[in-house]
């Protein structure tokens, strides 16, 4: 499941895309996740489902001249799917 802070970051884009598509879906954190997130929960995305593109904060490892790895964060484009798009 995506984090609370990432979900709060994604809400404005989700609301805009839902409005553009004329859809009404609940905006609860547990009802939204990425493809990989739903797979980890044992659910699969229904064929033909169109995801919702949002920006999320993701961690990555940065190596400084071969020294210790440092964890940093960046905004990345991700695709979210709602629970009703799973089977």
């Amino acid at each position: 499941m995506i984090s609370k802070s990432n979900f709060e970051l994604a809400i404005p884009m989700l609301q805009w895309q839902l409005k553009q598509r004329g859809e009404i879906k609940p905006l609860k954190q547990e009802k939204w996740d990425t493809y990989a997130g739903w797979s980890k929960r044992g659910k699969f995305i229904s064929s033909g489902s169109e995801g919702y593109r949002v920006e999320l904060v993701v961690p990555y490892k940065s190596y400084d001249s071969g020294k210790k790895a440092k964890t940093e964060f960046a905004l990345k484009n991700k695709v979210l799917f709602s629970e009703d798009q799973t089977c």
Side-chain angles (χ1 to χ4, degrees):
M1 183 164 44
I2 62 174
S3 70
K4 182 179 179 180
S5 58
N6 262 339
F7 186 71
E8 289 173 359
L9 181 65
I11 285 177
M13 285 301 295
L14 286 173
Q15 288 175 329
W16 183 79
Q17 291 178 60
L18 287 167
K19 185 178 178 182
Q20 292 294 315
R21 296 181 190 187
E23 297 178 5
I24 299 172
K25 294 186 183 188
L27 287 176
K28 295 181 181 176
Q29 180 184 359
E30 62 274 359
K31 303 260 185 210
W32 294 86
D33 212 343
T34 61
Y35 180 86
W38 284 119
S39 294
K40 285 181 184 177
R41 294 194 214 180
K43 295 190 175 189
F44 301 96
I45 305 303
S46 302
S47 179
S49 291
E50 185 178 349
Y52 298 83
R53 297 190 182 280
V54 297
E55 278 191 335
L56 300 178
V57 177
V58 296
Y60 69 95
K61 299 259 184 205
S62 172
Y63 296 92
D64 190 19
S65 302
K67 295 181 181 176
K68 287 184 184 178
K70 193 165 79 173
T71 301
E72 296 185 7
F73 298 90
L75 279 175
K76 294 286 183 178
N77 291 324
K78 296 288 185 177
V79 179
L80 295 182
F81 295 92
S82 67
E83 187 176 38
D84 65 348
Q85 293 177 293
T86 64
C87 54

